[in-house]
Amino acid sequence: MNLANQLKNRLPYPFETIAVAVTFSPRYKAVLSEAARISRIHRAKLLLIHVGALTTQQNRKLEIVIEACHIKPEHYEIKQLQGSVVQSILKVCKENVVDLLILGALKKESVLQHYVGSIARKISRTAKFSILLLPDPKERPKRFKNVVVAINDSPKSSFTLSTSVYISNIENATELYIVNEEYIPMFESAYADSSTDKEIEENKKEAITERKEKTNKLLDEIPGASSIDIKQRVIFGKPGHSIQVFSKCKKQDLLLVNSPKKTLGFLDRLFPNHLEYLLEDLPCNLLIVHSRGF
Amino acid sequence: MIVFLVGLGSILIIARLFAELFKQFKLPSVLGEIVAGVLLGPSFLGFFFPECFEYLFPFIAHPEFTSTIPVQYAMDAMINISVIMLLFIAGMEVQLPLVIEQGKVALSTTFFSMLIPIGVGYVGVLMLPDLFMVSNGDVGIVGFFIGVVLSITALPVIARILMDMKLFKTRIGMTIIASAMLIDLLGWLIFSVLLSMIDDSESSTSLSYTLISIILFGGFMLTIGSKLIDKSLPWVQTKFSWPGGVLTLSLGLCFLGAAFTESIGIHSILGAFIVGIAFGDSANLRDRTREIIHQFVTNVFAPIFFVSIGLYVNFVDNFNLPLISVLFVLAYTSKIFGAHLGARIGGLSKRDSWAVGVAMNTHGVLEIILGSLAMAAGIINEEVFVAIVVLVVVSIITSAPMLKRIVRKD
C-alpha cells in the first residue's frame, strides 16, 4: 500500500511525528523551545530538520539548545539535507510521515517578500501536512490558552474542528472559540432593490441559525467536545480576512484554519482569498490543518 | 427647471410604486421600473393621454423644446450618470478571487457560454440581415453585438434565484456565479472595444491602441489600484464620517475612472466597471457600506435609467414579433447549450450541467444597458432594442421555474 493510501481517511491528529526547521536565525532557540513543549505534550517524536551542512560549532550550539529544552535523546532525531530549503523540508516531512511541521515566521512581510514568498509561506502554500506558524515564539513557551478555529462550508471543516477540540483538550485551553465564516457574495446586490431591512436581517439570522445548528451537529460527534468551554460566533465577510481581524481583536493564542483546497500560486496572492489574508499578516500562532485524503 | 423637476419626481415615484407592485409577485424591481417607463412613455400615456404626457415630459413629446431650454441635456446627463453608476455597482459584484477559486469548471463554462452565443448571434444576423435591419457593411458588428448580448448572464437576478432556492453555495451555484462574473468582465471588455471600433473606424493602429489602453488600465486597477483602495478603506471608514466618507470616495473614484477611460478613447462605462471591481474586491469594505452604495444607486439612479427606456422608445410601434421570436430561439438554444457544454467539460454531472445552462440563460439589466448604448451608437435600431428588452423580461420570468424543474427532478 502506498503512502497516500495509508494516510487516506486518517485524522489530522494525533501528532505522532512533529518536525521543526532549524535555521540558526535569531529566533531559532525560541522556535525549538516551542516545538519541544508541543512535542512533549503530544508525546510525539521530534524531527529537527536542517538544510545545509551542520558545522561542528553549529552542532554544539544545537546540542546545548536541545539540552536546555529538556528533549530526551530517544525523543528526537536530526535530519540534515542538502539542496533547496523548501523542497528538502517537504521531502523529509513526506518520507517521515510528519503530522505537524513547526516553523518560525515573520508576522508581516514586506510587499515584495509577500509576492516572492518566504520559506515559511512557500511551505504553507504547498504542504500536504499540517503546519504551525509561530510569529512570536518564546524561549519560555506557554500553553495555548485561547484557541480559535475558523470553519466554513468546506468538508475539511469537520476535521479542522475536531483537531481544535483535540488540541484544546491537550493544551487545557481556557476557551475554544468556534468562528463560522459566512461569506455570501452578491448578498447586497441580490437583495438591495427588493428587500426591506427586516427581510435582510431575517435572511442573515436564518444563515446564522443554520450555521450554528450545523456546528452543534458536528460537535455532538466529536469526542471530548463537552469538556471544553466552547463559544460560537458567526461572522460575515471574506473568508480568511474576517477571521484575521477577529483573531487580532480577540488576542487569541492559536488560530486553526483549513488547509487550502489546492496549492496556492501567484494569482492567489494577486487576488487574495482565504489563507492568503492570514499569511499576509499573521494575527497569532496559526495552525493550518491538513485533512488527509482531501 | 420646473419641467425637469416635475418629470424627475414623477419618474422616481411611479417607478417605486411599480417596483413595489412587482415585488409582490416576487419579480425584480427593474421589471416594474421598465413597465412604469412604458406606461409613462409614448407607448401608453403618450398614445391614450397625449396632453398629460406633454405636460409631464414636454422635452420628450417635443424635442424642439430643448432649443430654448436645455432640459433634454439635463435629462441625458442624468441618464448617463445613472448608467455609469449602474456599471460601477455591477463591477462591485465581480469577485475575481471567487472566479480563480472555482478554477477549471468556471473557465470552461465561461468559455463555452460566451463562444457559442457569440457565434450563434453572429451567424443569426449574417443569415437574417433584413430581420435585424442592418446594412451589409454593419453585419459583422451587429452580429458580434447580438452575440455579446446573448452571452451575458444577469448576475444579481440569478444570485437571488440561487439564494432563494438554497443552491447558492452548492457547486452548481458557485459555478454559475463565478462564470457569470467572468462573463460580465469579458462582455464589457468586448463591448468597449466594439464601441471604440465604431467611434474610431480608422486603422488597426487605433484598435491596438484601444486594446493596449484597456489592458494597461485594467491591469493597473485590478492589481495596484485595488490594493491601494483596500489599504486606504479602513482609514477612510474610521476617520471620515460614515457612510458619507466612503460613499463620496467610491463615487468619486467611479467618475474619475469613467472620465479617464473616456479620455483615452474607451467608453466611460468600462472605467466605472473596472473601478467597481477594484473597489468591490476590497476585503475591508464593510457589508453595510456595500449595501448603502447598492441602495443609493439601485433606488435613485437605476429607476431614472430604466424608466427612461420606456419614455424614449415606443414599445408598441417597435414591437416586431418575428424578430423577438428569432432572438428568443437564438438566446435560449445557444446560451443553455453553451453553458451546459462548458459545465459538462468542466466536470459537472449531466443534470447539474443542464441546471447551469438554464440558470446562465438569465438576462438582465446589463443587456438593457448594453442595448441602449448600442442604440445610441447606432449599432442597432429601436426594434432590436425592444426585442432585447422583451428577451430580458421573459428570461427573468422563466429562468427560476425552469431551474426548479431541473433541480427537482432528482
Side-chain angles (χ1 to χ4, degrees):
Chain A
M1 196 188 277
N2 66 17
L3 187 65
N5 283 336
Q6 274 179 53
L7 293 174
K8 210 161 192 177
N9 299 324
R10 193 176 131 179
L11 284 170
Y13 59 89
F15 300 136
E16 289 169 354
T17 311
I18 295 176
V20 60
V22 181
T23 55
F24 296 103
S25 68
R27 300 190 305 169
Y28 91 98
K29 281 183 200 165
V31 174
L32 212 56
S33 303
E34 294 273 9
R37 182 193 76 83
I38 293 165
S39 65
R40 204 162 28 244
I41 61 167
H42 286 273
R43 293 178 187 168
K45 181 183 166 190
L46 187 62
L47 290 185
L48 284 81
I49 306 171
H50 181 263
V51 182
L54 267 175
T55 61
T56 327
Q57 201 186 354
Q58 281 177 332
N59 225 338
R60 180 76 200 120
K61 258 180 159 179
L62 192 57
E63 274 171 17
I64 294 169
V65 177
I66 289 170
E67 214 181 305
C69 293
H70 309 291
I71 310 173
K72 289 181 184 163
E74 64 270 26
H75 289 159
Y76 78 91
E77 196 183 324
I78 297 174
K79 295 274 179 191
Q80 274 188 77
L81 288 119
Q82 301 293 336
S84 142
V85 180
V86 174
Q87 291 311 316
S88 304
I89 293 176
L90 289 172
K91 195 177 159 212
V92 172
C93 291
K94 191 181 171 187
E95 283 171 359
N96 292 277
V97 199
V98 164
D99 297 302
L100 176 70
L101 171 68
I102 299 173
L103 295 164
L106 288 176
K107 189 186 174 309
K108 236 177 178 176
E109 288 177 321
S110 66
V111 177
L112 183 69
Q113 230 177 353
H114 175 68
Y115 288 104
V116 175
S118 66
I119 288 167
R121 260 90 172 165
K122 268 184 189 167
I123 293 173
S124 307
R125 287 178 183 118
T126 48
K128 300 284 178 224
F129 44 82
S130 298
I131 295 205
L132 175 62
L133 295 177
L134 304 170
D136 186 23
K138 300 272 188 291
E139 285 190 31
R140 287 177 167 222
K142 287 179 185 164
R143 68 186 172 99
F144 301 134
K145 277 197 281 188
N146 300 310
V147 180
V148 58
V149 57
I151 56 172
N152 51 38
D153 281 323
S154 161
K156 290 181 173 193
S157 285
S158 61
F159 295 98
T160 308
L161 184 63
S162 55
T163 308
S164 72
V165 170
Y166 171 78
I167 287 185
S168 300
N169 273 315
I170 281 206
E171 292 277 349
N172 198 14
T174 319
E175 64 173 24
L176 169 63
Y177 236 119
I178 301 172
V179 176
N180 265 289
E181 287 186 290
E182 182 71 352
Y183 178 49
I184 317 174
M186 309 278 312
F187 184 83
E188 290 77 21
S189 53
Y191 286 93
D193 68 334
S194 52
S195 300
T196 58
D197 254 7
K198 202 180 156 196
E199 284 167 339
I200 292 172
E201 276 312 305
E202 272 169 13
N203 273 311
K204 282 195 171 176
K205 269 186 195 165
E206 197 186 314
I208 292 172
T209 316
E210 226 170 75
R211 284 299 200 139
K212 286 192 171 170
E213 277 171 5
K214 265 187 195 173
T215 311
N216 287 335
K217 260 188 195 171
L218 285 174
L219 281 172
D220 285 344
E221 290 167 14
I222 299 172
S226 54
S227 54
I228 319 161
D229 177 15
I230 291 177
K231 284 182 182 150
Q232 276 197 56
R233 180 90 181 257
V234 178
I235 50 175
F236 289 82
K238 284 200 170 186
H241 181 265
S242 49
I243 190 66
Q244 198 258 5
V245 175
F246 179 89
S247 312
K248 223 184 215 176
C249 293
K250 291 271 176 188
K251 293 191 173 129
Q252 299 290 311
D253 297 319
L254 177 68
L255 163 65
L256 289 94
V257 294
N258 295 337
S259 59
K261 260 196 224 170
K262 55 178 175 68
T263 300
L264 299 177
F266 182 73
L267 264 185
D268 298 285
R269 265 164 276 171
L270 207 56
F271 304 108
N273 208 351
H274 299 264
L275 189 61
E276 286 299 342
Y277 283 114
L278 293 159
L279 294 178
E280 203 179 328
D281 183 7
L282 292 170
C284 59
N285 298 315
L286 176 70
L287 176 56
I288 304 162
V289 180
H290 186 81
S291 320
R292 312 280 197 186
F294 278 93
Chain B
M1 189 63 183
I2 295 168
V3 169
F4 174 69
L5 294 176
V6 168
L8 201 62
S10 313
I11 286 173
L12 284 176
I13 292 169
I14 295 170
R16 177 46 40 197
L17 290 176
F18 273 87
E20 292 297 327
L21 181 70
F22 272 64
K23 222 182 90 178
Q24 300 302 315
F25 299 103
K26 294 206 174 290
L27 289 168
S29 308
V30 60
L31 292 191
E33 288 159 4
I34 293 170
V35 171
V38 173
L39 294 178
L40 281 175
S43 321
F44 184 82
L45 196 68
F47 187 78
F48 292 107
F49 310 99
E51 296 85 10
C52 191
F53 180 61
E54 278 171 28
Y55 174 76
L56 275 175
F57 308 108
F59 48 96
I60 296 170
H62 301 287
E64 65 277 9
F65 194 72
T66 55
S67 57
T68 48
I69 303 168
V71 166
Q72 180 67 56
Y73 297 131
M75 196 62 199
D76 280 352
M78 283 294 282
I79 293 168
N80 281 332
I81 287 172
S82 303
V83 172
I84 287 171
M85 284 171 137
L86 274 167
L87 259 294
F88 175 68
I89 59 161
M92 279 177 70
E93 286 155 7
V94 177
Q95 303 283 318
L96 291 175
L98 192 97
V99 177
I100 293 165
E101 203 186 335
Q102 293 309 309
K104 187 187 154 195
V105 65
L107 281 180
S108 135
T109 308
T110 302
F111 181 74
F112 286 101
S113 67
M114 280 200 93
L115 184 77
I116 293 179
I118 288 176
V120 167
Y122 189 86
V123 173
V125 175
L126 206 69
M127 289 175 76
L128 302 162
D130 294 339
L131 193 64
F132 286 90
M133 284 149 283
V134 284
S135 60
N136 284 340
D138 294 337
V139 165
I141 286 179
V142 176
F144 205 50
F145 166 75
I146 293 291
V148 173
V149 167
L150 302 186
S151 73
I152 288 180
T153 299
L155 201 41
V157 179
I158 195 59
R160 178 68 190 255
I161 293 172
L162 292 170
M163 280 175 203
D164 289 347
M165 288 177 70
K166 307 260 176 225
L167 283 174
F168 191 81
K169 291 209 162 180
T170 60
R171 195 167 178 217
I172 306 174
M174 281 292 117
T175 304
I176 294 165
I177 294 297
S179 308
M181 284 174 178
L182 194 56
I183 289 172
D184 259 14
L185 175 62
L186 296 174
W188 282 106
L189 285 174
I190 294 171
F191 184 63
S192 301
V193 174
L194 213 65
L195 280 182
S196 306
M197 280 165 71
I198 295 161
D199 287 348
D200 197 16
S201 49
E202 283 168 15
S203 59
S204 58
T205 332
S206 355
L207 180 63
S208 54
Y209 168 77
T210 307
L211 285 173
I212 291 168
S213 308
I214 290 175
I215 291 167
L216 286 178
F217 175 69
F220 174 81
M221 278 315 295
L222 299 181
T223 52
I224 301 166
S226 92
K227 286 272 176 285
L228 289 174
I229 292 171
D230 187 50
K231 297 289 171 205
S232 61
L233 267 180
W235 188 79
V236 172
Q237 286 180 138
T238 48
K239 303 280 178 197
F240 286 19
S241 57
W242 188 86
V246 74
L247 202 61
T248 313
L249 177 82
S250 60
L251 296 181
L253 286 174
C254 155
F255 293 135
L256 286 176
F260 178 74
T261 46
E262 190 78 37
S263 72
I264 56 169
I266 309 162
H267 202 287
S268 54
I269 50 162
L270 190 71
F273 184 70
I274 289 177
V275 171
I277 299 178
F279 201 82
D281 199 31
S282 169
N284 287 309
L285 184 66
R286 288 184 200 157
D287 284 354
R288 190 74 186 135
T289 313
R290 202 183 282 270
E291 204 180 306
I292 287 167
I293 296 171
H294 270 283
Q295 295 281 6
F296 179 65
V297 177
T298 51
N299 291 308
V300 181
F301 288 92
I304 295 173
F305 171 70
F306 292 115
V307 171
S308 76
I309 291 169
L311 286 181
Y312 286 95
V313 179
N314 192 320
F315 274 66
V316 177
D317 288 353
N318 293 300
F319 193 87
N320 182 338
L321 192 60
L323 175 65
I324 294 171
S325 309
V326 168
L327 200 66
F328 262 79
V329 173
L330 296 180
Y332 275 61
T333 50
S334 66
K335 188 70 183 178
I336 294 176
F337 177 70
H340 164 78
L341 183 68
R344 196 86 181 96
I345 291 170
L348 292 194
S349 69
K350 205 171 171 183
R351 185 195 66 104
D352 287 357
S353 302
W354 281 120
V356 170
V358 167
M360 294 291 285
N361 183 44
T362 313
H363 299 277
V365 170
L366 292 187
E367 286 88 329
I368 295 175
I369 299 175
L370 212 70
S372 73
L373 293 171
M375 193 166 65
I379 302 176
I380 56 166
N381 64 10
E382 292 190 341
E383 286 189 17
V384 178
F385 178 67
V386 169
I388 292 171
V389 176
V390 175
L391 169 71
V392 166
V393 173
V394 176
S395 80
I396 289 175
I397 296 168
T398 56
S399 56
M402 281 171 79
L403 186 61
K404 273 180 194 157
R405 227 182 137 80
I406 291 176
V407 175
R408 248 190 239 143
K409 270 186 183 171
D410 64 331

